[in-house]
Amino acid sequence: MRGLKTILFLFISNTFMTFAWYGHLKFKDYSWGKNLGLFAIIVISWGLAFFEYLFQVPANEGGFKENGGPFNLVQLKTIQEAITLTVFMIFTLLFFKTEKLGWNHLVGFGLIVAAVFVIFKKW
């Protein structure tokens, strides 16, 4: 159960972080965001990142093997990176319709999934 909670929290945290890092690129599409300066964009993004940390820190704390969780540090980082790319791909398809994910992006993502397999495999 701790592993599932860790993964769920990492999905939530990565969703907030993706919006913090890339969501501001769409601010200009809304009337309220057309005239925002860089400092305002940074403050809004920082505010979103705060919510990312509300989920990321408990995910890693609870998921870490030395704290009773099921994952070692390398596994936690690998899960986080795979989730980051998954959330980013969904975000891109939903909010940046002009961006196209090519075959090379999908192959690269597939290689990251293969890395997850290699890292979690008991050799």
Side-chain angles (χ1 to χ4, degrees):
M1 193 63 182
R2 283 184 98 166
L4 186 58
K5 182 179 176 184
T6 296
I7 291 168
L8 176 65
F9 275 25
L10 286 174
F11 263 103
I12 294 168
S13 76
N14 273 280
T15 300
F16 278 110
M17 203 62 197
T18 299
F19 275 93
W21 284 4
Y22 303 104
H24 64 84
L25 298 173
K26 287 298 215 178
F27 285 0
K28 67 184 178 318
D29 293 350
Y30 301 99
S31 59
W32 57 265
K34 288 190 185 306
N35 296 317
L36 288 176
L38 183 58
F39 184 73
I41 292 170
I42 290 168
V43 170
I44 292 168
S45 294
W46 181 83
L48 288 168
F50 170 77
F51 291 99
E52 183 261 347
Y53 275 88
L54 290 178
F55 290 94
Q56 182 270 338
V57 171
N60 286 329
E61 189 73 21
F64 188 45
K65 194 169 249 166
E66 291 184 22
N67 293 340
F71 307 116
N72 66 39
L73 190 61
V74 174
Q75 290 171 330
L76 275 172
K77 183 60 179 172
T78 304
I79 293 168
Q80 189 274 327
E81 291 299 332
I83 289 172
T84 295
L85 284 174
T86 302
V87 169
F88 179 77
M89 285 176 61
I90 293 167
F91 174 84
T92 300
L93 292 171
L94 292 176
F95 294 100
F96 287 85
K97 306 243 187 236
T98 59
E99 293 287 326
K100 301 294 180 214
L101 294 174
W103 68 267
N104 57 323
H105 302 125
L106 298 175
V107 169
F109 185 69
L111 291 171
I112 291 170
V113 171
V116 172
F117 170 78
V118 169
I119 287 172
F120 276 83
K121 176 84 171 136
K122 305 289 185 219
W123 298 96

